[in-house]
């Protein structure tokens, strides 16, 4: 990895060049200075490693209980709508003491929501879920966490009145899990083959000596990583996935058998196109596994984990990868932290000659967010794991000196309804999301926070809010394209490349939400 002082050194060089050129006189002076600036900026952008990490929350996260407005009018409406029998999902007000005698996961057991202080509070007050204390520190104190409220897939900006017009373009198959997962990741419903993460990687693929390590998932196949040229590479939380052999290249204890298997699967013995393609995929997988085996530091390295006092390393018992489970009261392994650990190890390996990556996109995920019932218990655990995972990743990147070069953001199928169905919520649309990193202008909201209304006489619509549809589902105020373009610009994509990735970007009021430096 390049040292953290790389940017400062480049800036000092630029200032020295500027001072030298300022001594020039005549018509050539401005041109010379501009050329020097362009050359230095290009060299800096080309040489500095950067990565985007998408944390996808599968099932549709109830962001109404993750980031909350707590001004009196908003919180009164929130409490009235969500305090519904038989199992209220309304979280207590800030300052409410936890009730240790209440059932695990219930709002009373959790206590009050955690106040945060956005730099631009939009005339309101806000809080996070009671189990997101680590994120409150990242937001309020460290300023490495930003909140983008009410984001969702949009074809073009849409008002509440336009939503009711059949002629106004809207995303296909709204409220469908599969379609909206794909629309978030690829701007098209199920069946899309290229995601905007992969398309951004396409634009910068030439900066990587080993293209196979450009788009990496620790959570199976993800359309967000797929590009026109980029092929996603899948790893496990233990590292590269091996084809048949053990860590020493053996099968049945024999390196000869292991070598023979690898020769057979990576060579085509005929002219059949399918056979040739399979052999090429196998050869690429074998080569990549060997490269990562050489480049990856062990998970027990102090950068990523805790070395065992004796015996072999076990991620399930590493204290850095464990979180306090709110349902049991005991520490438990956090699968999200384990995924982020392999991402951190891969980022660390990016400067190794066998990897040689300058731009990378990563995909990790959590499941369980489809909380139609038992939401209190389910979401309590999910929020605790998400907060711990993000805090672990931030701390690990800090040890690596890589915070400024890695930006992490959350995504999800959709948000959920404001109304409760008795002990859970149903499918919505817009949702609030986090963006984390050293290059993030943290501690603030980027986008207008929606108005929380009250149910009308029919008990299912929110006429008092311009931002809420039936059952209180949020009408997105910010499109996924705007979020993606803001990240993509920091990643190094040009304005024209952003339009290639997000073709209707110019139809939105801004393509830069402002949360990146």
């Amino acid at each position: 990895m390049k040292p953290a002082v790389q940017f400062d050194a480049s800036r000092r060089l630029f200032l020295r060049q500027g001072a030298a050129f300022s001594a020039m006189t005549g018509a050539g002076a401005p041109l010379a200075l501009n050329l020097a600036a362009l050359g230095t900026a290009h060299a800096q952008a080309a040489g500095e490693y950067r990565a985007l990490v998408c944390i996808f929350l599968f099932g549709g996260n109830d962001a109404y209980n993750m980031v909350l407005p707590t001004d009196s009018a908003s919180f009164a409406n929130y409490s009235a709508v969500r305090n519904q029998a038989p199992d209220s999902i309304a979280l207590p007000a800030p300052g409410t003491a936890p009730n240790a005698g209440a059932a695990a996961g219930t709002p009373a057991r959790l206590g009050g929501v955690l106040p945060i202080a956005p730099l631009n509070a939009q005339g309101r007050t806000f809080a996070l879920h009671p189990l997101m204390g680590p994120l409150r520190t990242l937001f309020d104190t460290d300023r490495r966490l930003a909140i983008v409220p009410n984001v969702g897939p949009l074809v073009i900006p849409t008002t509440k009145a336009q939503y009711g017009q059949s002629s106004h373009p809207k995303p296909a198959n709204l409220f469908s899990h599969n379609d909206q997962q794909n629309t978030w990741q690829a701007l098209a419903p199920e069946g899309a083959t290229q995601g905007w993460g992969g398309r951004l990687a396409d634009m910068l693929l030439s900066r990587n000596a080993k293209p196979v390590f450009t788009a990496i998932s620790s959570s199976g196949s993800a359309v967000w990583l797929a590009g026109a040229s980029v092929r996603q590479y899948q790893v496990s939380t233990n590292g590269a996935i091996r084809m048949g052999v053990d860590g020493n290249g053996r099968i049945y204890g024999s390196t000869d058998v292991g070598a023979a298997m690898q020769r057979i699967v990576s060579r085509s013995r005929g002219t059949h196109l399918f056979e040739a393609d399979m052999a090429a995929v196998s050869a690429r997988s074998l080569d990549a596994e060997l490269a990562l085996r050489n480049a990856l530091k062990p998970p027990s390295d102090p950068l990523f984990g805790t070395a065992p006092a004796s015996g072999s390393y076990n991620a399930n018992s590493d204290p850095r990868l464990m979180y306090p489970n709110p349902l049991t009261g005991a520490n438990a392994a956090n699968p999200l932290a384990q995924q982020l650990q392999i991402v951190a190890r891969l980022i660390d390996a990016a400067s190794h000659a066998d990897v040689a990556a300058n731009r990378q996109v990563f995909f990790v995920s959590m499941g369980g967010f489809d909380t139609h019932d038992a939401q209190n218990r389910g979401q309590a655990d999910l929020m605790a794991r998400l907060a711990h995972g993000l805090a672990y990743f931030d701390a690990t990147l800090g040890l690596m000196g890589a915070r400024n070069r890695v930006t992490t953001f959350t995504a999800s199928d959709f948000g959920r309804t404001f109304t409760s169905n008795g002990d859970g919520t149903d499918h919505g649309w817009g949702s609030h999301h986090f963006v984390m990193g050293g290059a993030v202008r943290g501690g603030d909201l980027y986008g207008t926070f929606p108005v929380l209304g009250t149910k009308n006489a029919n008990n299912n619509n929110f006429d008092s809010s311009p931002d809420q549809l039936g059952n209180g589902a949020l009408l997105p105020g910010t499109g996924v394209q705007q979020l993606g373009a803001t990240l993509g610009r920091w990643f190094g994509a040009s304005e024209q490349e952003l339009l290639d990735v997000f073709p209707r970007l110019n139809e939105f009021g801004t393509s830069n939400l402002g949360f990146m430096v």
Side-chain angles (χ1 to χ4, degrees):
M1 302 291 293
K2 295 189 179 299
V5 297
Q6 177 78 15
F7 175 77
D8 293 335
S10 300
R11 183 174 61 183
R12 289 194 295 271
L13 174 61
F14 171 74
L15 292 174
R16 288 198 301 270
Q17 288 175 333
F21 279 114
S22 68
M24 296 179 63
T25 58
L31 175 61
L33 185 57
N34 287 339
L35 288 174
L38 285 171
T40 303
H42 176 76
Q44 180 178 304
E48 183 182 50
Y49 173 89
R50 290 188 179 183
L52 291 175
V53 181
C54 174
I55 301 178
F56 204 90
L57 312 178
F58 279 105
N61 177 41
D62 178 27
Y64 277 121
N65 270 16
M66 187 174 77
V67 182
L68 306 82
T70 56
D71 53 279
S72 57
S74 297
F75 203 77
N77 289 348
Y78 164 84
S79 300
V81 171
R82 297 216 130 185
N83 186 13
Q84 183 172 321
D87 195 7
S88 171
I89 60 171
L91 296 170
T96 304
N99 178 359
T106 60
R109 178 71 170 264
L110 299 178
V113 294
L114 305 177
I116 55 173
L119 296 171
N120 175 22
Q122 304 177 10
R124 303 166 77 177
T125 56
F126 296 92
L128 298 178
H129 188 279
L131 295 178
M132 288 193 149
L135 298 192
R136 178 166 65 169
T137 300
L138 278 169
F139 186 88
D140 275 346
T141 305
D142 301 327
R143 303 292 191 196
R144 289 193 296 274
L145 186 78
I147 295 169
V148 186
N150 198 14
V151 187
L154 290 167
V155 178
I156 59 175
T158 302
T159 65
K160 193 168 180 177
Q162 290 169 331
Y163 173 75
Q165 300 169 0
S166 60
S167 60
H168 189 81
K170 295 178 280 290
N173 303 326
L174 282 170
F175 316 114
S176 156
H177 282 296
N178 291 350
D179 290 296
Q180 295 313 301
Q181 288 165 10
N182 276 263
T183 303
W184 237 102
Q185 297 181 41
L187 307 179
E190 188 173 20
T193 58
Q194 295 181 18
W196 55 267
R199 293 287 291 120
L200 285 173
D202 279 340
M203 304 300 177
L204 301 164
L205 189 60
S206 62
R207 300 188 185 188
N208 292 349
K210 303 290 181 65
V212 69
F213 298 120
T214 300
I216 304 178
S217 172
S218 65
S219 185
S221 180
V223 69
W224 183 74
L225 292 174
S229 301
V230 166
R231 299 181 181 182
Q232 57 183 296
Y233 180 70
Q234 295 180 27
V235 298
S236 73
T237 53
N238 294 320
I241 300 172
R242 299 189 179 100
M243 293 184 61
V245 298
D246 65 15
N248 296 311
R250 299 173 301 188
I251 293 178
Y252 300 127
S254 169
T255 55
D256 290 337
V257 175
M261 186 279 293
Q262 293 179 332
R263 285 196 305 272
I264 291 168
V265 301
S266 61
R267 293 180 184 175
S268 177
R269 293 168 298 284
T271 58
H272 197 284
L273 293 178
F274 181 74
E275 181 183 350
D277 193 51
M278 285 294 295
V281 170
S282 297
R284 186 167 61 249
S285 177
L286 291 169
D287 292 343
E289 190 277 323
L290 178 60
L292 285 185
R293 195 188 313 168
N294 293 332
L296 283 177
K297 292 176 182 173
S300 58
D301 187 283
L303 286 175
F304 319 112
T306 307
S310 62
S312 60
Y313 177 82
N314 186 345
N316 289 324
S317 59
D318 185 336
R320 284 178 60 183
L321 301 180
M322 302 181 82
Y323 77 108
N325 186 316
L327 305 181
T328 66
N331 285 340
N334 186 351
L336 176 63
Q338 292 177 9
Q339 289 184 67
L340 290 169
Q341 183 190 61
I342 184 58
V343 171
R345 292 169 64 201
L346 289 161
I347 290 169
D348 175 76
S351 61
H352 193 284
D354 286 339
V355 176
N358 185 267
R359 289 292 188 276
Q360 291 181 294
V361 288
F362 295 93
F363 185 88
V364 305
S365 73
M366 295 176 62
F369 287 87
D370 195 18
T371 50
H372 287 285
D373 51 27
Q375 175 166 310
N376 283 329
R377 289 179 58 84
Q379 198 185 35
D381 187 47
L382 292 167
M383 294 295 98
R385 282 194 273 147
L386 178 59
H388 170 263
L390 283 168
Y392 161 79
F393 195 47
D394 172 76
T396 301
L397 292 173
L399 292 173
M400 295 164 55
R403 279 183 178 135
N404 291 346
R405 299 189 292 276
V406 181
T407 299
T408 305
F409 66 98
T410 61
S412 189
D413 318 18
F414 36 61
R416 304 195 73 82
T417 55
F418 192 33
T419 57
S420 166
N421 58 29
D423 68 342
T425 51
D426 299 315
H427 297 178
W429 189 356
S431 188
H432 315 316
H433 288 286
F434 297 126
V435 185
M436 182 185 79
V440 173
R441 292 189 173 102
D444 213 350
L445 308 172
Y446 293 88
T448 302
F449 206 90
V451 173
L452 303 188
T454 55
K455 290 184 285 188
N456 64 10
N458 294 325
N459 207 37
N460 66 353
N461 213 332
F462 287 76
D463 301 329
S464 59
S465 170
D467 306 308
Q468 291 178 294
L469 305 171
N471 286 322
L474 284 174
L475 173 63
T478 296
V480 171
Q481 298 95 322
Q482 296 170 280
L483 174 72
T486 306
L487 293 166
R489 189 175 287 106
W490 170 83
F491 196 55
S494 69
E495 297 304 311
Q496 182 55 54
E497 288 169 335
L498 290 176
L499 287 174
D500 291 340
V501 177
F502 306 105
R504 304 191 76 159
L505 186 60
N506 281 341
E507 300 195 47
F508 291 83
T510 178
S511 64
N512 188 347
L513 299 177
F515 57 75
M516 300 301 300
V517 297

